[in-house]
Amino acid sequence: MMSNMSLAHIPAFYAVMNTGSLSGAARHLKLAHPTIRRQIEAMELELGTTLFTRAANGLTPTEKAHALMPYAATVMEEAAAMARAASAVEGRIEGTVRLTTSRIVATHIMPMVLTELYGTAPGLRFELAATDKAENLAHRAADIALRFTPPTQQALVAQRMPDAEVGFFASPDLALPKGMTSLKDVPFISDDREARLLPALAARGVALPERVVLRCDDPLAQLAHVKAGLGVGVAQIKLAAREGLVPVLPDLRIPMPCWLVVHEDQARTPHIRAAFDHLKRTLPKWM
């Protein structure tokens, strides 16, 4: 069993794993380089194992280090959640709320939603994890998540939200055939290695685009190229309208299921519950 001293060394281990070097970890933790080195060496001594091999170009994590990393991440996430819980003020809607959602939602929807929420509860502070990967709420990686896949972890409260419809759009500057009835002959922006979009169209019996001018898995980059006029691409319908994009084949819409999720323990915390309830009320207006 690890001692309290070893627990104190976990931030150094976690930082080295994430930054790839002692110097990077030192900058991240605002500690001296020798301090980080001593903490790693002390952790290796207590665990009786080697965590990193030293080389001229820096540190290389061992298999044991990679095996321990998920546990270190859980410790760090729980510690951050503890700090957020401690920020709450009894009987008042005050404290820090950590939210996670996709990069598109974080960039184009959350600014309006959180600005409105802050206007009603100025005691709130926010942390926003903009990622297209599902954060582990069971390990307190975030307090509230907006997800586009069904939650599978235990002990979560999930609110099914209205579907966010997506469709196909283009810049007003992109010349498209009048009366077009398919995407077959238009310049098209698709995903890349994820390879989800074209199979989804094929499953709906839609004639597939033959002029894919850009493949990219980053939805923010896809949207930027649609706005620039490179080709037709996919976007949330309400977002596309706000961005001044032109609908292409407006009858071709794809519902995108949404869930607003909070850990059941966090749902009882007043400031997190207030944020959850606000998101539940206001997100459908923007999505």
Side-chain angles (χ1 to χ4, degrees), residues 157-241:
V157 176
Q159 172 69 48
R160 183 71 154 81
M161 302 289 285
D163 290 347
E165 284 193 311
V166 300
F168 295 89
F169 295 87
S171 164
D173 298 326
L174 180 65
L176 294 172
K178 293 188 181 298
M180 58 178 290
T181 58
S182 80
L183 299 170
K184 183 178 178 181
D185 296 320
V186 300
F188 192 76
I189 295 171
S190 184
D191 55 1
D192 185 20
R193 295 180 180 180
E194 290 183 358
R196 296 177 184 174
L197 182 54
L198 296 184
L201 290 176
R204 289 175 169 268
V206 176
L208 295 183
E210 296 182 355
R211 294 172 56 197
V212 177
V213 294
L214 174 68
R215 295 182 184 274
C216 177
D217 285 331
D218 187 330
L220 285 173
Q222 289 179 21
L223 182 62
H225 286 81
V226 172
K227 290 170 62 177
L230 179 63
V232 174
V234 66
Q236 291 182 27
I237 288 172
K238 292 182 180 178
L239 169 58

Side-chain angles (χ1 to χ4, degrees), residues 3-287:
S3 69
N4 287 335
M5 182 178 294
S6 294
L7 288 172
H9 301 327
I10 289 178
F13 168 74
Y14 187 73
V16 172
M17 289 292 287
N18 279 321
T19 65
S21 68
L22 294 174
S23 57
R27 287 192 298 271
H28 178 72
L29 296 176
K30 296 180 173 58
L31 294 172
H33 184 286
T35 301
I36 300 295
R37 185 185 66 250
R38 286 194 298 270
Q39 290 187 6
I40 295 297
E41 290 173 349
M43 189 172 181
E44 290 179 323
L45 182 63
E46 290 192 12
L47 294 176
T49 189
T50 299
L51 297 174
F52 301 94
T53 57
R54 280 72 174 171
N57 60 347
L59 300 180
T60 301
T62 62
E63 289 187 13
K64 179 65 72 174
H66 285 297
L68 293 177
M69 183 59 174
Y71 300 100
T74 297
V75 170
M76 298 300 293
E77 287 162 359
E78 293 281 2
M82 184 176 178
R84 294 195 300 272
S87 73
V89 177
E90 184 93 23
R92 294 160 66 179
I93 307 302
E94 291 188 14
T96 300
V97 183
R98 183 173 180 83
L99 307 109
T100 180
T101 188
S102 70
R103 297 176 68 234
I104 280 282
V105 173
T107 302
H108 290 282
I109 295 171
M110 280 299 177
M112 289 79 74
V113 173
L114 295 187
T115 298
E116 182 179 338
L117 175 54
Y118 180 70
T120 63
L124 291 179
R125 299 294 181 267
F126 307 107
E127 297 175 359
L128 181 59
T131 174
D132 295 321
K133 297 180 180 179
E135 296 275 44
N136 192 327
L137 267 65
H139 293 162
R140 307 300 199 276
D143 302 315
I144 300 172
L146 178 66
R147 292 181 173 169
F148 298 98
T149 54
T152 57
Q153 298 161 353
Q154 300 298 313
L156 299 181
V157 176
Q159 172 69 48
R160 183 71 154 81
M161 302 289 285
D163 290 347
E165 284 193 311
V166 300
F168 295 89
F169 295 87
S171 164
D173 298 326
L174 180 65
L176 294 172
K178 293 188 181 298
M180 58 178 290
T181 58
S182 80
L183 299 170
K184 183 178 178 181
D185 296 320
V186 300
F188 192 76
I189 295 171
S190 184
D191 55 1
D192 185 20
R193 295 180 180 180
E194 290 183 358
R196 296 177 184 174
L197 182 54
L198 296 184
L201 290 176
R204 289 175 169 268
V206 176
L208 295 183
E210 296 182 355
R211 294 172 56 197
V212 177
V213 294
L214 174 68
R215 295 182 184 274
C216 177
D217 285 331
D218 187 330
L220 285 173
Q222 289 179 21
L223 182 62
H225 286 81
V226 172
K227 290 170 62 177
L230 179 63
V232 174
V234 66
Q236 291 182 27
I237 288 172
K238 292 182 180 178
L239 169 58
R242 293 195 298 273
E243 294 293 317
L245 298 177
V246 175
V248 176
L249 304 182
D251 292 335
L252 181 56
R253 297 186 173 195
I254 302 173
M256 189 164 59
C258 303
W259 287 265
L260 193 62
V261 186
V262 62
H263 192 281
E264 62 183 8
D265 292 341
Q266 303 291 68
R268 293 189 284 267
T269 304
H271 72 290
I272 293 175
R273 186 73 211 193
F276 183 86
D277 289 343
H278 177 84
L279 293 169
K280 183 171 63 175
R281 288 192 307 270
T282 60
L283 278 171
K285 176 174 66 175
W286 297 103
M287 297 179 61

